[in-house]
């Protein structure tokens, strides 16, 4: 599963990069403009995805979910305070660390007990943490697309199928 986990995470990185590139094409003020939507601004969605990715990396590296969640409040506040370009650099750094963790993990299929302070105990596998990260990002990139439409701008396609075709054409 390690290869599939890394490929799926590569999709997540690719989709976030597509979103960052689209956001950089739009008027600069839209990034932090307040709106009535799922999140109150585009910057808050992007900071939220980043915070959650950081938390799951911490958990994958052995921290408890409670420890990761405690750290997440400061991570999110810091991410929200950053410019689009600064947050993109933070994402780039995070993706390097995340990929190194995936590649260096002894056994992503090993069973692990996750103690979620809100949902309780879950017997799962490390590989499912990666699936959660990607699924969470996909969900909120969908929110972002709706928010951009609400602001009068189109979004971009970030479906896994498009990634598969673009990834294949880049490997030839």
């Amino acid at each position: 599963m390690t290869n599939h986990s890394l490929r799926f995470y590569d999709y997540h990185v690719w989709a976030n990069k597509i979103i960052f590139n689209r956001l950089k094409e739009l008027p600069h003020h839209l990034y932090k403009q307040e709106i009535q939507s799922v999140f109150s601004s585009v910057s808050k969605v992007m900071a939220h995805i980043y915070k959650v990715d950081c938390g799951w990396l911490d958990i994958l590296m052995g921290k408890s979910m409670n420890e990761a969640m405690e750290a997440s409040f400061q991570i999110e506040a810091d991410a929200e305070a950053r410019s689009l370009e600064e947050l993109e650099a933070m994402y780039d750094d995070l993706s390097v660390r995340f990929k190194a963790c995936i590649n260096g993990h002894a056994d992503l299929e090993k069973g692990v007990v996750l103690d979620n302070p809100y949902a309780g105990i879950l017997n799962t596998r490390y590989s499912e943490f990666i699936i959660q990260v990607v699924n969470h990002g996909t969900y909120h990139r969908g929110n972002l697309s709706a928010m951009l439409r609400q602001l009068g701008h189109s979004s971009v396609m970030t479906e896994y199928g498009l990634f598969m075709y673009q990834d294949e054409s880049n490997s030839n």
Side-chain angles (χ1 to χ4, degrees):
M1 178 82 177
T2 301
N3 290 340
H4 291 304
S5 293
L6 182 58
R7 181 164 166 81
F8 207 42
Y9 184 75
D10 283 342
Y11 156 69
H12 179 65
V13 172
W14 171 87
N16 284 337
K17 184 60 77 174
I18 295 292
I19 290 293
F20 274 111
N21 288 341
R22 176 61 179 140
L23 293 175
K24 289 186 288 187
E25 294 171 350
L26 299 174
H28 184 73
H29 74 278
L30 288 181
Y31 183 61
K32 295 201 178 208
Q33 181 177 328
E34 297 239 346
I35 60 171
Q36 292 286 320
S37 193
V38 178
F39 286 82
S40 60
S41 70
V42 169
S43 64
K44 288 192 183 296
V45 177
M46 298 303 288
H48 174 76
I49 298 170
Y50 178 80
K51 166 194 85 165
V52 171
D53 284 12
C54 288
W56 282 107
L57 177 57
D58 283 348
I59 294 166
L60 191 59
M61 294 175 67
K63 284 189 179 177
S64 71
M65 182 173 258
N66 205 30
E67 290 173 305
M69 290 174 76
E70 285 177 16
S72 73
F73 298 110
Q74 186 57 49
I75 290 168
E76 188 169 34
D78 184 46
E80 284 179 15
R82 302 298 180 116
S83 70
L84 176 64
E85 294 76 14
E86 289 171 326
L87 186 59
E88 181 179 28
M90 291 166 62
Y91 263 103
D92 291 345
D93 177 64
L94 176 61
S95 69
V96 169
R97 292 184 290 126
F98 216 114
K99 287 180 187 185
C101 182
I102 293 170
N103 284 325
H105 204 279
D107 183 5
L108 290 170
E109 293 309 312
K110 181 180 178 184
V112 62
V113 176
L114 182 67
D115 185 0
N116 183 322
Y118 299 105
I121 301 293
L122 176 68
N123 292 302
T124 186
R125 298 182 312 253
Y126 288 105
S127 61
E128 291 199 279
F129 298 167
I130 298 160
I131 293 168
Q132 169 56 28
V133 165
V134 178
N135 188 55
H136 177 262
T138 299
Y139 177 77
H140 287 304
R141 285 186 296 270
N143 293 150
L144 181 62
S145 290
M147 291 169 69
L148 290 177
R149 284 270 182 220
Q150 188 177 342
L151 290 165
H153 297 276
S154 64
S155 186
V156 286
M157 193 167 129
T158 59
E159 290 184 13
Y160 186 73
L162 181 59
F163 165 77
M164 289 189 304
Y165 279 97
Q166 290 191 351
D167 191 48
E168 179 67 23
S169 67
N170 289 335
S171 65
N172 292 330

